[in-house]
């Protein structure tokens, strides 16, 4: 290779080396500048959470029981005479009135019996008239000794027998009239009539159930309470001189229906059953509820809700501030240093959207209701007051 070529190659190597050094220097400078900026970056802000204070106040404690609705009066409609059913005079499921004719039984056999009884009564009355005439005619003759006294005595006894026969015939007429009236089967109460259990043309008797009528205004609700709850109600009833067999702290009962809605009318305790069920340890309570429009029907299920006691100085937190973990409950607390801590609590009854806390909290402490997923033990947070009205206070 010539000297000219060697010099040219050396120049190319020198240029390449300088370019590589320049590139390495630029990369190092950029990396160093980036590291400097990272080290100087500000830490991220503390997560924002919404908090509410622990409230202390007197609150009524509510209790609920499963209830079964039943008619205030349930009347089974049964005929008092036997015969063939010829007519149904009511619409099934409709409101009927006391004394309204629901069914009719063929009256012709009973009409014939009534006519025969009236004829027998007429005969008895005629016999009584003859006996009376005999006594009136022969009394002065016996006094004048024109006839034997024994004849008058027999006539007097015959008159007494005729009088008894008239009384018996009258009773037979009255019974026949009653039986004829019983062919029109009427409702015994105002209420809702059920579906007919027989068909036109059936032979019915005194053991036949034609239908049932339930008085549903008002309507009864039966629910079981424990012995302890019953005794508490009895003591309160005695203390307040209530007319009921027992009474709760809240005298007005609420009825929660199967769809979750609350019945528009409040109820009251009517009575307690005569005994405690030894199998369940509960006693059945009957309550009455107004039922405008006959909306409620026997056989429906619901829940009776009432305030049983007043808890004084209870500590309350929103239910959404409490989380459950493996059977225990905990809340997140924000201290005065704006650092969060997780604390186990013992919960009591639920009051609306609030929860009574029996242990683990103090009045005024700040509990987290929004942003619980951002909270870690000892981590800083930015607390913001939540809207208390949204908590249902």
């Amino acid at each position: 290779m010539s000297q000219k070529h060697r010099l040219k190659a050396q120049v190319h190597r020198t240029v390449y080396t300088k370019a590589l050094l320049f590139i390495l220097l630029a990369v190092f400078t950029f990396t160093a500048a980036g590291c400097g900026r990272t080290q100087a970056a500000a830490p991220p802000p503390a997560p924002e959470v919404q908090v509410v204070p622990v409230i202390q106040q007197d609150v009524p404690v509510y209790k609920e029981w499963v209830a079964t609705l039943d008619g205030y009066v349930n009347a089974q409609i049964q005929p008092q005479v036997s015969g063939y059913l010829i007519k149904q005079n009511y619409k099934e499921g409709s409101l009927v009135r006391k004394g309204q004719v629901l069914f009719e039984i063929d009256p012709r056999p009973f009409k014939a019996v009534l006519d025969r009884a009236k004829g027998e009564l007429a005969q008895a009355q005629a016999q009584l008239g003859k006996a009376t005439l005999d006594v009136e005619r022969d009394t002065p003759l016996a006094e004048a000794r024109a006839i034997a006294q024994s004849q008058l005595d027999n006539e007097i006894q015959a008159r007494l027998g005729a009088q008894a026969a008239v009384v018996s015939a009258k009773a037979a007429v009255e019974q026949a009239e009653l039986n004829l009236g019983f062919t029109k089967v009427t409702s015994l109460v105002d209420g809702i009539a059920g579906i007919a259990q027989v068909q036109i043309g059936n032979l019915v008797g005194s053991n036949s159930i034609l239908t049932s009528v339930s008085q549903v205004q008002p309507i009864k609700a039966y629910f079981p309470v424990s012995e302890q709850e019953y005794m508490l109600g009895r003591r309160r009833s005695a203390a307040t001189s209530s007319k009921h067999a027992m009474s709760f702290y809240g005298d007005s009962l609420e009825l929660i229906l199967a769809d979750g809605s609350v019945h528009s009318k409040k109820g009251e305790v009517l009575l307690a059953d005569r005994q405690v069920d030894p199998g369940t340890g509960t006693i059945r309570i009957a309550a009455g509820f107004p039922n405008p429009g006959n909306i409620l029907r026997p056989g429906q299920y619901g829940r009776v809700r009432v305030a049983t006691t007043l808890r004084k100085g209870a500590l309350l937190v929103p239910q959404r501030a409490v989380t459950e973990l493996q059977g225990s409950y905990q809340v997140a607390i924000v201290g005065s240093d704006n650092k969060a801590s997780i604390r186990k609590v013992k919960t009591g009854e639920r009051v609306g959207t609030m929860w009574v806390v029996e242990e683990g909290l103090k009045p005024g402490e700040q509990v987290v209701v929004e942003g619980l997923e951002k909270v870690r033990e000892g981590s800083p947070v930015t607390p913001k007051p939540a809207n208390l009205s949204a908590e249902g206070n």
Side-chain angles (χ1 to χ4, degrees):
M1 180 182 296
S2 63
Q3 184 176 3
K4 182 178 180 181
H5 287 158
R6 284 197 300 271
L7 290 175
K8 188 176 181 179
Q10 185 176 0
V11 169
H12 285 166
R13 285 196 297 270
T14 301
V15 172
Y16 176 80
T17 301
K18 289 183 179 181
L20 180 62
L21 289 176
F22 178 80
I23 292 173
L24 291 175
L25 180 61
V27 170
F28 176 79
T29 304
F30 178 80
T31 302
C35 293
R37 285 196 298 271
T38 302
Q39 293 175 358
E48 184 177 300
V49 295
Q50 294 186 12
V51 297
V52 296
V54 178
I55 301 173
Q56 185 175 30
Q57 65 183 32
D58 299 343
V59 294
V61 177
Y62 286 87
K63 181 76 175 181
E64 291 183 3
W65 301 273
V66 176
T68 304
L69 303 185
D70 199 6
Y72 209 84
V73 176
N74 297 306
Q76 287 187 337
I77 307 302
Q78 296 177 260
Q80 299 188 55
V81 294
S82 299
Y84 287 97
L85 200 66
I86 62 172
K87 196 172 183 181
Q88 177 179 328
N89 296 323
Y90 80 99
K91 183 179 179 181
E92 295 168 320
S94 63
L95 178 66
V96 297
R97 299 297 180 186
K98 181 178 181 180
Q100 179 178 334
V101 177
L102 305 181
F103 298 93
E104 292 185 27
I105 296 173
D106 188 356
R108 292 175 298 176
F110 302 95
K111 181 66 168 59
V113 172
L114 176 60
D115 292 340
R116 183 173 66 247
K118 287 181 177 180
E120 292 174 351
L121 173 60
Q123 290 179 350
Q125 288 173 335
Q127 188 64 34
L128 175 60
K130 180 182 179 300
T132 301
L133 289 175
D134 289 345
V135 171
E136 291 175 351
R137 182 187 65 243
D138 290 346
T139 296
L141 295 177
E143 291 176 353
R145 298 183 183 278
I147 61 173
Q149 181 65 38
S150 59
Q151 180 180 343
L152 178 61
D153 292 342
N154 290 337
E155 292 172 346
I156 291 174
Q157 294 304 313
R159 184 178 66 176
L160 291 176
Q163 289 174 343
V166 169
V167 173
S168 179
K170 285 183 177 179
V173 170
E174 290 176 359
Q175 183 62 57
E177 288 176 340
L178 284 174
N179 289 340
L180 180 59
F182 288 152
T183 60
K184 295 183 183 295
V185 184
T186 61
S187 175
L188 304 177
V189 295
D190 294 340
I192 302 296
I195 297 174
Q197 303 299 308
V198 292
Q199 300 294 324
I200 302 301
N202 288 164
L203 178 63
V204 297
S206 58
N207 293 327
S208 304
I209 298 177
L210 306 184
T211 189
S212 298
V213 177
S214 294
Q215 179 185 343
V216 295
Q217 173 59 304
I219 196 168
K220 282 183 180 178
Y222 292 98
F223 59 96
V225 302
S226 66
E227 283 189 73
Q228 294 81 359
E229 293 164 339
Y230 169 71
M231 294 307 299
L232 177 63
R234 285 287 298 180
R235 286 193 293 269
R236 174 169 175 79
S237 177
T240 58
S241 301
S242 171
K243 65 179 180 179
H244 304 304
M246 64 174 296
S247 176
F248 298 105
Y249 170 77
D251 289 330
S252 296
L253 280 63
E254 291 183 333
L255 180 61
I256 304 173
L257 304 179
D259 62 355
S261 63
V262 180
H263 185 51
S264 59
K265 301 295 182 180
K266 306 290 186 180
E268 64 176 6
V269 174
L270 298 177
L271 55 94
D273 202 356
R274 66 177 184 86
Q275 70 172 16
V276 174
D277 187 335
T280 62
T282 60
I283 185 169
R284 193 165 72 153
I285 305 299
F289 288 87
N291 187 20
N294 300 323
I295 297 175
L296 304 179
R297 297 298 177 94
Q300 283 185 257
Y301 285 93
R303 301 193 310 277
V304 170
R305 182 173 183 265
V306 65
T308 54
T309 57
L310 180 68
R311 173 166 290 197
K312 295 185 176 294
L315 299 180
L316 300 174
V317 297
Q319 292 182 23
R320 59 195 181 105
V322 182
T323 56
E324 183 180 2
L325 181 62
Q326 297 181 348
S328 63
Y329 297 92
Q330 61 186 24
V331 296
I333 306 297
V334 177
S336 57
D337 56 355
N338 288 346
K339 289 187 177 181
S341 62
I342 308 300
R343 190 180 303 176
K344 289 185 177 181
V345 294
K346 180 180 178 182
T347 58
E349 298 84 1
R350 302 190 185 196
V351 182
T353 60
M354 307 295 283
W355 212 333
V356 175
V357 176
E358 297 179 348
E359 295 179 4
L361 292 178
K362 296 179 181 179
E365 288 188 308
Q366 302 290 324
V367 296
V368 178
V369 295
E370 287 291 344
L372 287 170
E373 69 282 356
K374 308 174 186 177
V375 174
R376 300 291 182 272
E377 177 67 31
S379 64
V381 294
T382 304
K384 299 291 184 181
N387 186 5
L388 290 179
S389 61
E391 303 302 324
N393 282 342

